[in-house]
Amino acid sequence: MEVSNLSGATPGIAFPPGPESCSDSPSSGRSMGSTPGGLILSGREPPFSAFTVLVVTLLVLLIAATFLWNLLVLVTILRVRAFHRVPHNLVASTAVSDVLVAALVMPLSLVSELSAGRRWQLGRSLCHVWISFDVLCCTASIWNVAAIALDRYWTITRHLQYTLRTRRRASALMIAITWALSALIALAPLLFGWGEAYDARLQRCQVSQEPSYAVFSTCGAFYVPLAVVLFVYWKIYKAAKFRFGRRRRAVVPLPATTQAKEAPQESETVFTARCRATVAFQTSGDSWREQKEKRAAMMVGILIGVFVLCWIPFFLTELVSPLCACSLPPIWKSIFLWLGYSNSFFNPLIYTAFNKNYNNAFKSLFTKQR
Protein backbone atom coordinates (compact mmCIF):
# COMPACT_ATOMS: atom_id res chain seq x y z
CA MET A 1 0.00 0.00 0.00
CA GLU A 2 1.28 3.43 -0.85
CA VAL A 3 2.14 5.91 1.83
CA SER A 4 -0.35 8.41 0.45
CA ASN A 5 -3.15 5.99 1.22
CA LEU A 6 -2.25 5.68 4.90
CA SER A 7 -4.04 8.89 5.78
CA GLY A 8 -7.35 10.19 4.61
CA ALA A 9 -10.73 11.45 5.53
CA THR A 10 -12.33 8.14 6.42
CA PRO A 11 -10.38 6.24 9.07
CA GLY A 12 -10.60 2.51 9.02
CA ILE A 13 -8.24 1.16 11.66
CA ALA A 14 -5.79 2.61 14.11
CA PHE A 15 -3.09 0.68 15.91
CA PRO A 16 -1.65 2.69 18.77
CA PRO A 17 -2.67 2.10 22.35
CA GLY A 18 -6.16 3.05 22.89
CA PRO A 19 -5.95 4.13 26.48
CA GLU A 20 -2.43 5.24 26.02
CA SER A 21 -1.82 2.54 28.44
CA CYS A 22 1.18 0.42 28.00
CA SER A 23 2.14 2.55 25.16
CA ASP A 24 1.26 6.16 25.67
CA SER A 25 0.57 5.68 29.29
CA PRO A 26 3.31 6.83 31.54
CA SER A 27 3.18 3.64 33.42
CA SER A 28 3.65 1.74 30.30
CA GLY A 29 6.02 4.17 29.11
CA ARG A 30 3.88 6.90 27.73
CA SER A 31 5.39 10.21 28.46
CA MET A 32 4.18 13.76 28.58
CA GLY A 33 1.79 15.00 25.98
CA SER A 34 2.12 11.92 23.85
CA THR A 35 -0.96 11.18 21.80
CA PRO A 36 -0.43 8.28 19.46
CA GLY A 37 -2.19 8.24 16.21
CA GLY A 38 -3.03 5.12 14.37
CA LEU A 39 -2.62 3.26 11.18
CA ILE A 40 -5.39 4.82 9.13
CA LEU A 41 -6.63 2.84 6.21
CA SER A 42 -8.87 5.16 4.27
CA GLY A 43 -9.11 7.40 1.27
CA ARG A 44 -9.82 5.28 -1.75
CA GLU A 45 -9.31 2.08 0.27
CA PRO A 46 -12.40 0.20 1.53
CA PRO A 47 -13.01 0.45 5.31
CA PHE A 48 -11.87 -3.15 5.78
CA SER A 49 -9.23 -3.90 3.19
CA ALA A 50 -7.37 -7.19 2.97
CA PHE A 51 -4.44 -5.63 4.84
CA THR A 52 -6.75 -4.48 7.64
CA VAL A 53 -8.28 -7.94 7.98
CA LEU A 54 -4.84 -9.56 8.04
CA VAL A 55 -3.52 -7.25 10.75
CA VAL A 56 -6.62 -7.60 12.91
CA THR A 57 -6.50 -11.39 12.55
CA LEU A 58 -2.87 -11.48 13.65
CA LEU A 59 -3.62 -9.29 16.67
CA VAL A 60 -6.60 -11.44 17.66
CA LEU A 61 -4.39 -14.55 17.42
CA LEU A 62 -1.76 -12.83 19.55
CA ILE A 63 -4.34 -11.99 22.20
CA ALA A 64 -5.75 -15.54 22.22
CA ALA A 65 -2.32 -17.20 22.32
CA THR A 66 -1.13 -14.92 25.14
CA PHE A 67 -4.21 -15.67 27.22
CA LEU A 68 -4.25 -19.43 26.65
CA TRP A 69 -0.52 -20.03 27.14
CA ASN A 70 -0.36 -18.07 30.40
CA LEU A 71 -3.56 -19.75 31.58
CA LEU A 72 -1.99 -23.16 30.87
CA VAL A 73 1.02 -22.22 32.99
CA LEU A 74 -1.25 -21.15 35.86
CA VAL A 75 -3.33 -24.34 35.69
CA THR A 76 -0.17 -26.45 35.65
CA ILE A 77 1.27 -24.69 38.71
CA LEU A 78 -2.01 -25.07 40.60
CA ARG A 79 -2.44 -28.77 39.79
CA VAL A 80 1.15 -30.00 40.21
CA ARG A 81 2.11 -30.04 43.89
CA ALA A 82 5.82 -29.92 43.11
CA PHE A 83 5.26 -26.42 41.69
CA HIS A 84 3.77 -25.08 44.93
CA ARG A 85 7.07 -23.49 45.92
CA VAL A 86 9.56 -20.95 44.70
CA PRO A 87 10.53 -19.99 42.11
CA HIS A 88 7.18 -21.11 40.66
CA ASN A 89 5.24 -18.55 42.70
CA LEU A 90 7.19 -15.85 40.85
CA VAL A 91 6.32 -17.54 37.56
CA ALA A 92 2.68 -17.71 38.67
CA SER A 93 2.68 -14.00 39.52
CA THR A 94 4.07 -13.20 36.08
CA ALA A 95 1.47 -15.42 34.42
CA VAL A 96 -1.34 -13.70 36.34
CA SER A 97 -0.23 -10.26 35.16
CA ASP A 98 0.17 -11.49 31.58
CA VAL A 99 -3.25 -13.21 31.61
CA LEU A 100 -4.82 -9.93 32.73
CA VAL A 101 -2.99 -8.07 29.98
CA ALA A 102 -4.45 -10.47 27.41
CA ALA A 103 -7.94 -10.56 28.93
CA LEU A 104 -8.53 -6.92 29.93
CA VAL A 105 -6.00 -4.67 28.22
CA MET A 106 -5.30 -5.92 24.71
CA PRO A 107 -8.94 -6.52 23.59
CA LEU A 108 -10.10 -3.04 24.61
CA SER A 109 -7.00 -1.54 23.03
CA LEU A 110 -7.86 -3.31 19.79
CA VAL A 111 -11.46 -2.05 19.99
CA SER A 112 -10.17 1.48 20.44
CA GLU A 113 -7.83 1.08 17.47
CA LEU A 114 -10.70 -0.07 15.25
CA SER A 115 -12.98 2.83 16.16
CA ALA A 116 -13.16 5.75 13.72
CA GLY A 117 -10.70 8.41 14.80
CA ARG A 118 -9.84 6.32 17.84
CA ARG A 119 -12.77 7.77 19.74
CA TRP A 120 -13.68 6.19 23.07
CA GLN A 121 -17.41 5.46 23.05
CA LEU A 122 -17.67 3.24 26.14
CA GLY A 123 -18.07 5.92 28.80
CA ARG A 124 -15.95 7.58 31.46
CA SER A 125 -16.16 4.82 34.08
CA LEU A 126 -15.00 2.05 31.75
CA CYS A 127 -12.25 4.34 30.49
CA HIS A 128 -10.87 4.71 34.03
CA VAL A 129 -11.12 0.95 34.61
CA TRP A 130 -9.32 0.21 31.36
CA ILE A 131 -6.53 2.72 31.96
CA SER A 132 -6.03 1.50 35.53
CA PHE A 133 -5.77 -2.17 34.50
CA ASP A 134 -3.52 -1.29 31.58
CA VAL A 135 -1.02 0.49 33.80
CA LEU A 136 -1.37 -2.04 36.63
CA CYS A 137 -0.91 -5.20 34.55
CA CYS A 138 1.86 -3.97 32.26
CA THR A 139 3.83 -2.56 35.19
CA ALA A 140 3.37 -5.77 37.22
CA SER A 141 4.49 -7.89 34.25
CA ILE A 142 7.67 -5.83 33.89
CA TRP A 143 8.49 -5.90 37.61
CA ASN A 144 7.85 -9.66 37.77
CA VAL A 145 10.59 -10.13 35.19
CA ALA A 146 12.91 -8.17 37.49
CA ALA A 147 11.86 -10.35 40.45
CA ILE A 148 12.63 -13.57 38.56
CA ALA A 149 16.04 -12.19 37.60
CA LEU A 150 16.79 -11.31 41.25
CA ASP A 151 15.74 -14.78 42.41
CA ARG A 152 18.04 -16.47 39.89
CA TYR A 153 20.89 -14.13 40.86
CA TRP A 154 20.63 -14.99 44.56
CA THR A 155 20.32 -18.70 43.72
CA ILE A 156 23.61 -18.67 41.83
CA THR A 157 25.63 -16.30 44.01
CA ARG A 158 24.29 -17.29 47.47
CA HIS A 159 23.71 -20.99 47.02
CA LEU A 160 24.24 -21.91 50.71
CA GLN A 161 22.60 -18.90 52.36
CA TYR A 162 19.63 -18.70 49.98
CA THR A 163 17.73 -21.66 51.44
CA LEU A 164 14.21 -22.71 50.50
CA ARG A 165 12.74 -20.87 53.49
CA THR A 166 14.67 -17.72 52.62
CA ARG A 167 13.55 -17.96 49.00
CA ARG A 168 9.93 -18.26 50.06
CA ARG A 169 10.13 -15.13 52.16
CA ALA A 170 12.07 -13.17 49.55
CA SER A 171 9.77 -14.17 46.71
CA ALA A 172 6.63 -13.37 48.72
CA LEU A 173 8.08 -9.95 49.57
CA MET A 174 9.02 -9.26 45.94
CA ILE A 175 5.54 -10.23 44.73
CA ALA A 176 3.90 -7.97 47.32
CA ILE A 177 6.14 -5.03 46.39
CA THR A 178 5.56 -5.64 42.68
CA TRP A 179 1.78 -5.46 42.90
CA ALA A 180 1.74 -2.66 45.48
CA LEU A 181 4.02 -0.46 43.38
CA SER A 182 2.04 -1.25 40.22
CA ALA A 183 -1.23 -0.37 41.97
CA LEU A 184 0.26 2.91 43.24
CA ILE A 185 1.36 3.93 39.73
CA ALA A 186 -1.97 2.89 38.20
CA LEU A 187 -4.26 4.53 40.78
CA ALA A 188 -2.25 7.69 41.50
CA PRO A 189 -4.25 9.85 39.03
CA LEU A 190 -7.55 8.76 40.57
CA LEU A 191 -6.41 8.95 44.19
CA PHE A 192 -4.48 12.22 44.03
CA GLY A 193 -6.17 13.99 41.13
CA TRP A 194 -3.01 13.64 39.04
CA GLY A 195 -4.57 14.44 35.67
CA GLU A 196 -7.66 13.15 33.86
CA ALA A 197 -7.88 10.08 31.64
CA TYR A 198 -11.19 10.76 29.87
CA ASP A 199 -11.99 13.74 27.64
CA ALA A 200 -15.73 13.79 26.99
CA ARG A 201 -15.53 16.56 24.36
CA LEU A 202 -12.98 14.74 22.20
CA GLN A 203 -14.16 11.25 23.25
CA ARG A 204 -10.58 10.36 24.10
CA CYS A 205 -9.39 7.89 26.71
CA GLN A 206 -5.71 7.94 27.57
CA VAL A 207 -3.36 7.85 30.53
CA SER A 208 -2.95 11.15 32.34
CA GLN A 209 -0.63 13.43 30.39
CA GLU A 210 0.38 15.46 33.43
CA PRO A 211 4.17 15.91 32.94
CA SER A 212 5.09 15.08 36.54
CA TYR A 213 2.97 11.93 36.48
CA ALA A 214 4.46 10.95 33.12
CA VAL A 215 7.97 11.07 34.54
CA PHE A 216 6.98 9.24 37.74
CA SER A 217 5.05 6.47 36.00
CA THR A 218 7.51 5.95 33.15
CA CYS A 219 10.47 5.59 35.48
CA GLY A 220 8.55 3.40 37.92
CA ALA A 221 7.11 1.14 35.24
CA PHE A 222 10.12 0.63 33.01
CA TYR A 223 13.40 2.46 33.51
CA VAL A 224 13.96 1.45 37.14
CA PRO A 225 13.20 -2.28 36.54
CA LEU A 226 15.29 -2.10 33.36
CA ALA A 227 18.27 -0.87 35.39
CA VAL A 228 17.66 -3.65 37.94
CA VAL A 229 17.57 -6.50 35.42
CA LEU A 230 20.62 -5.26 33.48
CA PHE A 231 22.65 -4.90 36.68
CA VAL A 232 21.49 -8.31 37.95
CA TYR A 233 22.34 -10.13 34.73
CA TRP A 234 25.77 -8.54 34.64
CA LYS A 235 26.36 -9.84 38.19
CA ILE A 236 25.00 -13.28 37.24
CA TYR A 237 27.37 -13.47 34.28
CA LYS A 238 30.39 -12.52 36.39
CA ALA A 239 29.49 -14.90 39.24
CA ALA A 240 28.75 -17.83 36.93
CA LYS A 241 31.94 -17.32 34.96
CA PHE A 242 34.03 -17.19 38.15
CA ARG A 243 32.43 -20.29 39.71
CA PHE A 244 32.61 -22.42 36.57
CA GLY A 245 36.26 -21.55 36.03
CA ARG A 246 37.15 -22.37 39.65
CA ARG A 247 35.43 -25.75 39.46
CA ARG A 248 37.23 -26.81 36.32
CA ARG A 249 40.58 -26.09 37.95
CA ALA A 250 39.64 -28.02 41.12
CA VAL A 251 37.92 -31.18 39.84
CA VAL A 252 40.58 -33.35 38.23
CA PRO A 253 43.80 -33.17 40.26
CA LEU A 254 42.44 -33.42 43.82
CA PRO A 255 40.88 -36.91 43.74
CA ALA A 256 43.99 -38.50 42.22
CA THR A 257 46.29 -36.99 44.86
CA THR A 258 44.04 -38.01 47.74
CA GLN A 259 43.60 -41.54 46.46
CA ALA A 260 47.36 -42.00 45.97
CA LYS A 261 48.06 -41.21 49.63
CA GLU A 262 45.27 -43.35 51.00
CA ALA A 263 46.02 -46.54 49.06
CA PRO A 264 49.78 -46.80 48.54
CA GLN A 265 49.85 -50.57 49.16
CA GLU A 266 47.30 -51.52 46.57
CA SER A 267 48.15 -52.75 43.11
CA GLU A 268 48.39 -50.30 40.28
CA THR A 269 45.43 -51.81 38.48
CA VAL A 270 43.09 -51.47 41.44
CA PHE A 271 44.34 -47.97 42.20
CA THR A 272 43.72 -46.81 38.64
CA ALA A 273 40.19 -48.15 38.63
CA ARG A 274 39.36 -46.41 41.90
CA CYS A 275 40.98 -43.18 40.85
CA ARG A 276 39.04 -43.04 37.61
CA ALA A 277 35.78 -43.93 39.31
CA THR A 278 36.26 -41.19 41.88
CA VAL A 279 37.15 -38.56 39.30
CA ALA A 280 34.24 -39.56 37.06
CA PHE A 281 31.79 -39.32 39.97
CA GLN A 282 32.90 -35.88 41.08
CA THR A 283 33.06 -34.55 37.57
CA SER A 284 29.52 -35.68 36.80
CA GLY A 285 28.27 -34.12 40.05
CA ASP A 286 29.89 -30.79 39.28
CA SER A 287 28.73 -31.01 35.68
CA TRP A 288 25.10 -31.46 36.80
CA ARG A 289 25.22 -28.36 38.99
CA GLU A 290 27.07 -26.41 36.32
CA GLN A 291 24.46 -27.28 33.73
CA LYS A 292 21.65 -26.30 36.07
CA GLU A 293 23.20 -22.92 36.80
CA LYS A 294 24.03 -22.36 33.14
CA ARG A 295 20.40 -23.02 32.19
CA ALA A 296 19.26 -20.58 34.87
CA ALA A 297 21.68 -17.92 33.65
CA MET A 298 20.71 -18.51 30.03
CA MET A 299 17.00 -18.35 30.84
CA VAL A 300 17.44 -15.03 32.66
CA GLY A 301 19.54 -13.69 29.78
CA ILE A 302 16.93 -14.57 27.14
CA LEU A 303 14.07 -13.34 29.35
CA ILE A 304 15.80 -9.99 29.83
CA GLY A 305 16.83 -9.76 26.18
CA VAL A 306 13.29 -10.31 24.91
CA PHE A 307 11.94 -7.92 27.57
CA VAL A 308 14.31 -5.17 26.39
CA LEU A 309 13.63 -5.76 22.68
CA CYS A 310 9.85 -5.71 23.22
CA TRP A 311 9.57 -2.64 25.43
CA ILE A 312 12.53 -0.34 24.79
CA PRO A 313 11.41 0.91 21.33
CA PHE A 314 8.11 2.09 22.77
CA PHE A 315 9.50 3.59 25.96
CA LEU A 316 12.39 5.23 24.17
CA THR A 317 10.01 6.85 21.71
CA GLU A 318 7.73 8.04 24.48
CA LEU A 319 10.65 9.58 26.34
CA VAL A 320 12.33 11.31 23.37
CA SER A 321 9.24 12.59 21.53
CA PRO A 322 8.11 15.12 24.18
CA LEU A 323 11.66 16.36 24.75
CA CYS A 324 12.35 17.12 21.10
CA ALA A 325 8.78 18.22 20.30
CA CYS A 326 8.71 15.69 17.48
CA SER A 327 6.29 12.91 16.71
CA LEU A 328 6.77 9.45 15.28
CA PRO A 329 4.46 8.33 12.43
CA PRO A 330 1.33 6.67 13.83
CA ILE A 331 2.12 3.34 12.19
CA TRP A 332 5.37 3.05 14.16
CA LYS A 333 3.67 4.02 17.41
CA SER A 334 1.20 1.20 16.85
CA ILE A 335 3.95 -1.30 16.05
CA PHE A 336 5.91 -0.35 19.16
CA LEU A 337 2.81 -0.58 21.34
CA TRP A 338 1.84 -4.08 20.24
CA LEU A 339 5.45 -5.18 20.33
CA GLY A 340 5.39 -4.25 24.02
CA TYR A 341 2.16 -6.17 24.55
CA SER A 342 3.73 -9.22 22.88
CA ASN A 343 6.19 -9.51 25.78
CA SER A 344 3.33 -11.07 27.75
CA PHE A 345 3.22 -13.83 25.12
CA PHE A 346 6.96 -14.52 25.15
CA ASN A 347 7.37 -14.64 28.96
CA PRO A 348 5.76 -18.07 29.55
CA LEU A 349 7.44 -19.53 26.49
CA ILE A 350 10.88 -18.60 27.81
CA TYR A 351 10.67 -19.67 31.45
CA THR A 352 8.97 -22.98 30.60
CA ALA A 353 11.31 -23.82 27.71
CA PHE A 354 14.26 -24.03 30.13
CA ASN A 355 12.45 -26.20 32.68
CA LYS A 356 11.84 -29.85 31.77
CA ASN A 357 9.42 -30.19 34.67
CA TYR A 358 6.95 -27.94 32.84
CA ASN A 359 7.15 -30.02 29.69
CA ASN A 360 6.52 -33.21 31.66
CA ALA A 361 3.70 -31.54 33.57
CA PHE A 362 2.07 -30.36 30.33
CA LYS A 363 2.21 -33.87 28.89
CA SER A 364 0.84 -35.35 32.09
CA LEU A 365 -1.96 -32.78 32.21
CA PHE A 366 -3.13 -33.49 28.67
CA THR A 367 -2.76 -37.25 29.13
CA LYS A 368 -5.00 -37.21 32.20
CA GLN A 369 -7.55 -35.08 30.38
CA ARG A 370 -7.78 -37.73 27.66
Side-chain angles (χ1 to χ4, degrees):
M1 179 179 297
E2 298 179 0
V3 178
S4 60
N5 289 333
L6 293 180
S7 61
T10 309
I13 177 171
F15 286 97
E20 311 285 339
S21 67
C22 277
S23 75
D24 274 317
S25 66
S27 91
S28 273
R30 308 171 192 211
S31 55
M32 23 175 143
S34 147
T35 304
L39 174 60
I40 308 289
L41 301 179
S42 56
R44 293 185 296 273
E45 295 287 334
F48 292 99
S49 64
F51 178 73
T52 301
V53 173
L54 175 62
V55 173
V56 172
T57 301
L58 291 177
L59 294 181
V60 170
L61 291 176
L62 174 65
I63 294 171
T66 302
F67 177 80
L68 293 175
W69 191 251
N70 282 284
L71 186 63
L72 177 62
V73 171
L74 282 176
V75 171
T76 303
I77 293 175
L78 290 175
R79 296 194 60 174
V80 179
R81 294 187 61 183
F83 290 159
H84 297 176
R85 56 182 174 82
V86 292
H88 303 289
N89 54 354
L90 293 173
V91 174
S93 178
T94 309
V96 167
S97 61
D98 291 336
V99 160
L100 293 176
V101 169
L104 303 177
V105 178
M106 296 168 73
L108 287 176
S109 183
L110 182 59
V111 169
S112 178
E113 303 296 347
L114 292 172
S115 65
R118 296 190 66 256
R119 294 191 180 96
W120 181 261
Q121 301 175 348
L122 302 178
R124 183 173 183 270
S125 299
L126 187 56
C127 171
H128 285 160
V129 171
W130 177 32
I131 292 294
S132 299
F133 272 108
D134 189 353
V135 174
L136 171 70
C137 300
C138 290
T139 304
S141 178
I142 291 171
W143 271 107
N144 277 315
V145 172
I148 290 175
L150 281 170
D151 177 75
R152 296 299 192 271
Y153 167 65
W154 289 326
T155 301
I156 292 176
T157 59
R158 303 178 183 179
H159 182 70
L160 298 179
Q161 300 92 336
Y162 200 48
T163 62
L164 184 59
R165 178 178 296 181
T166 304
R167 293 184 72 185
R168 285 196 182 116
R169 293 176 181 175
S171 61
L173 180 61
M174 287 191 291
I175 291 173
I177 292 175
T178 290
W179 287 96
L181 178 61
S182 301
L184 175 63
I185 295 174
L187 299 177
L190 297 178
L191 296 177
F192 308 115
W194 214 344
E196 175 59 45
Y198 180 67
D199 187 334
R201 184 176 63 86
L202 298 177
Q203 288 187 313
R204 177 173 297 168
C205 181
Q206 62 181 9
V207 170
S208 169
Q209 297 296 295
E210 184 70 26
S212 56
Y213 175 73
V215 174
F216 164 73
S217 59
T218 302
C219 291
F222 179 72
Y223 290 105
V224 172
L226 174 64
V228 170
V229 296
L230 292 180
F231 174 77
V232 163
Y233 188 65
W234 175 66
K235 298 291 286 185
I236 288 176
Y237 175 78
K238 287 185 63 178
K241 186 177 180 181
F242 172 75
R243 291 184 64 182
F244 298 157
R246 186 177 60 181
R247 284 178 183 175
R248 290 191 186 98
R249 291 192 298 270
V251 161
V252 177
L254 290 179
T257 304
T258 304
Q259 193 71 7
K261 291 182 179 180
E262 290 178 356
Q265 302 298 328
E266 306 219 344
S267 65
E268 182 177 352
T269 304
V270 176
F271 162 74
T272 303
R274 291 188 180 181
C275 175
R276 288 178 179 172
T278 305
V279 173
F281 173 78
Q282 293 188 2
T283 302
S284 64
D286 288 342
S287 175
W288 175 82
R289 182 173 293 178
E290 266 188 35
Q291 291 177 4
K292 184 177 180 181
E293 293 184 359
K294 282 182 178 179
R295 283 198 302 269
M298 186 177 297
M299 187 276 289
V300 174
I302 295 177
L303 190 68
I304 293 173
V306 172
F307 158 72
V308 171
L309 290 176
C310 286
W311 279 118
I312 207 168
F314 168 73
F315 281 95
L316 203 58
T317 300
E318 295 304 315
L319 180 64
V320 172
S321 295
L323 297 179
C324 67
C326 52
S327 179
L328 200 68
I331 177 64
W332 287 105
K333 289 186 177 182
S334 299
I335 291 173
F336 292 163
L337 168 68
W338 286 91
L339 182 62
Y341 284 154
S342 69
N343 185 237
S344 295
F345 167 74
F346 290 116
N347 281 339
L349 292 179
I350 295 169
Y351 52 61
T352 57
F354 286 87
N355 193 320
K356 294 181 180 179
N357 293 331
Y358 278 104
N359 297 328
N360 296 332
F362 292 158
K363 293 177 182 178
S364 175
L365 183 63
F366 286 115
T367 300
K368 289 180 180 179
Q369 292 295 332
R370 291 177 184 177

